[in-house]
Amino acid sequence: MDFQAGILQDGSPMESLEKQLICPICLEMFSKPVVILPCQHNLCRKCANDVFQAANPYWQSRGSLISGGRFRCPSCRHEVLLDRHGVYGLQRNLLVENIIDIYKQECSSRPLKKGEHPMCKEHEDERINIYCVTCEVPTCSMCKVFGAHKDCEVAPLQTVFQGQKTELNNCISMLVAGNDRIQTIISQLEDSCQSTEENSEAAKRELCARFDALAALLEEKKAELLQRISQEQADKTAFIQSLICQYKEQLEKSSRLVETAIQAAEETGGAAFLMNAKQLIKTIVEASKGGRLDKIEQGYESMDAFSVSLEHLTEAVHALDFDPAEEDEEYFDGEEEEAEE
């Protein structure tokens, strides 16, 4: 049996109870609610499984002796660790199930009050009770028989309402999963930024140690190479920071869109919902397809290219000595040949 939300007066105790019985994923009454320990929030078991599968796409192919995985609670972002049983290892909340049964029995005995259903603007005494598929707007039966939609294809309002609300809920789940992936990328970028800085400092220390051994003769060269490393570090860090800003901006936009979609999904009237649902769904789908941001390549944070070997210079310094006078000319000729090479 379907129960329409909001059939009671605003601010009533039953309406407040109803809001507490809504799953944050599907925005419907809890179905087989499970408790997420230790944050104590509830989810439908199916919704919890969908979020878990999105965070652990390869879980089904794992062996039975391997731990289940992890996901974040959509209500408080607390990380939940699961065993090899997955979400089926979470405890069912029988108390919430009993409260839902009592609530549904109470709602079924309360008829919809007159005046709460949207009325047709063209026929003021007619309720909006059908959906014009051709024009994609809710309308009334008189508009279909005698009015502007008499040649249009129509469908039951409740059928279209349920279909588009299901589609919107799927889009919300898709956005939530996408936000988790974006957050993961941001964390990886921040780790890469830290690794870049640490590797840069390590390269600087190694370079200083090598140049200190060659004393003042190589100080100028050391300063030049240090500047090159610092420039590379600045360029890479600036690029990674720009990526982090872009991903955070995309995450913020997506989060705002999720809030808008959740507010729309909480709309209980089919006609009022359908007036904005299609454009909102289109906006969500376009947002999900777009925003292909750049990523750094593997090993981008490495500074191995700035490792300098000075063994040959050390050997040359140890080999320096006074040359015999008769070999001066041969010595200089040898230097000229080496310079040409």
Side-chain angles (χ1 to χ4, degrees):
M1 178 181 296
D2 295 332
F3 296 90
Q4 297 183 3
I7 65 175
L8 304 176
Q9 294 182 357
D10 293 340
S12 66
M14 289 298 290
E15 182 179 2
S16 300
L17 176 62
E18 176 188 347
K19 293 180 180 180
Q20 300 299 320
L21 301 178
I22 297 298
C23 174
I25 298 297
C26 65
L27 302 180
E28 299 290 346
M29 284 285 182
F30 285 118
S31 176
K32 297 181 179 179
V34 294
V35 180
I36 302 177
L37 300 176
C39 67
Q40 297 295 313
H41 288 115
N42 293 278
L43 290 178
C44 299
R45 185 164 65 184
K46 180 181 181 301
C47 295
N49 188 59
D50 292 341
V51 176
F52 174 70
Q53 292 290 346
N56 303 270
Y58 303 106
W59 178 78
Q60 292 180 345
S61 63
R62 297 179 179 178
S64 60
L65 297 179
I66 301 178
S67 59
R70 63 187 63 193
F71 72 96
R72 292 185 180 275
C73 173
S75 298
C76 64
R77 308 303 300 164
H78 179 81
E79 187 175 59
V80 183
L81 301 178
L82 300 182
D83 58 17
R84 59 188 178 88
H85 299 291
V87 297
Y88 293 94
L90 294 175
Q91 183 179 0
R92 288 273 294 274
N93 196 330
L94 299 180
L95 175 61
V96 173
E97 291 188 34
N98 293 334
I99 293 175
I100 290 176
D101 291 338
I102 297 173
Y103 174 82
K104 289 182 177 180
Q105 293 175 5
E106 176 70 17
C107 290
S108 62
S109 63
R110 294 174 178 264
L112 188 64
K113 295 183 179 180
K114 183 178 180 181
E116 294 181 356
H117 197 289
M119 308 300 288
C120 179
K121 294 182 179 179
E122 298 294 333
H123 307 90
E124 297 180 356
D125 295 332
E126 294 292 329
R127 291 184 175 184
I128 295 179
N129 56 358
I130 59 175
Y131 185 80
C132 179
V133 179
T134 305
C135 301
E136 298 182 342
V137 293
T139 185
C140 72
S141 301
M142 296 297 293
C143 289
K144 170 58 182 173
V145 178
F146 304 106
H149 302 284
K150 62 181 179 179
D151 297 326
C152 298
E153 179 184 357
V154 297
L157 185 67
Q158 190 66 18
T159 301
V160 181
F161 167 70
Q162 292 295 339
Q164 291 200 11
K165 192 167 186 178
T166 300
E167 185 178 356
L168 178 59
N169 289 334
N170 293 336
C171 290
I172 292 174
S173 299
M174 180 174 57
L175 282 175
V176 171
N179 289 346
D180 289 338
R181 289 192 293 269
I182 291 176
Q183 184 62 51
T184 300
I185 293 175
I186 291 176
S187 298
Q188 292 174 349
L189 288 173
E190 291 175 344
D191 292 340
S192 297
C193 183
Q194 181 179 358
S195 297
T196 300
E197 295 177 353
E198 292 175 353
N199 292 339
S200 298
E201 294 300 323
K204 289 181 181 180
R205 289 193 298 269
E206 180 181 359
L207 189 63
C208 289
R210 293 179 181 275
F211 273 87
D212 289 343
L214 295 177
L217 182 63
L218 299 177
E219 284 295 329
E220 183 178 357
K221 187 65 176 179
K222 179 182 68 173
E224 176 187 347
L225 296 182
L226 282 173
Q227 178 60 31
R228 289 175 58 186
I229 291 180
S230 298
Q231 184 62 46
E232 184 71 7
Q233 174 191 349
D235 293 343
K236 288 186 175 182
T237 303
F239 178 71
I240 295 175
Q241 291 289 0
S242 67
L243 287 182
I244 293 175
C245 292
Q246 294 176 29
Y247 276 102
K248 287 184 177 179
E249 181 180 359
Q250 180 177 341
L251 178 60
E252 182 180 357
K253 293 180 179 178
S254 180
S255 298
R256 289 198 300 267
L257 190 56
V258 168
E259 294 177 358
T260 302
I262 291 176
Q263 293 176 359
E266 293 176 349
E267 177 59 50
T268 59
F273 173 85
L274 292 173
M275 290 179 181
N276 300 315
K278 191 170 187 66
Q279 180 61 38
L280 180 57
I281 293 173
K282 182 179 179 181
T283 302
I284 293 176
V285 173
E286 291 176 353
S288 300
K289 293 180 180 178
R292 296 293 188 268
L293 301 178
D294 294 334
K295 297 180 180 179
I296 61 173
E297 299 178 357
Q298 184 176 3
Y300 179 81
E301 65 272 18
S302 175
M303 288 291 179
D304 293 341
F306 293 92
S307 178
V308 177
S309 177
L310 302 177
E311 283 77 6
H312 62 290
L313 295 179
T314 304
E315 294 175 359
V317 171
H318 284 297
L320 292 177
D321 199 356
F322 295 101
D323 295 323
E326 61 271 18
E327 296 180 357
D328 286 347
E329 184 176 355
E330 181 180 353
Y331 173 78
F332 288 115
D333 290 341
E335 284 190 338
E336 292 177 358
E337 292 178 358
E338 291 179 357
E340 291 177 358
E341 294 177 356

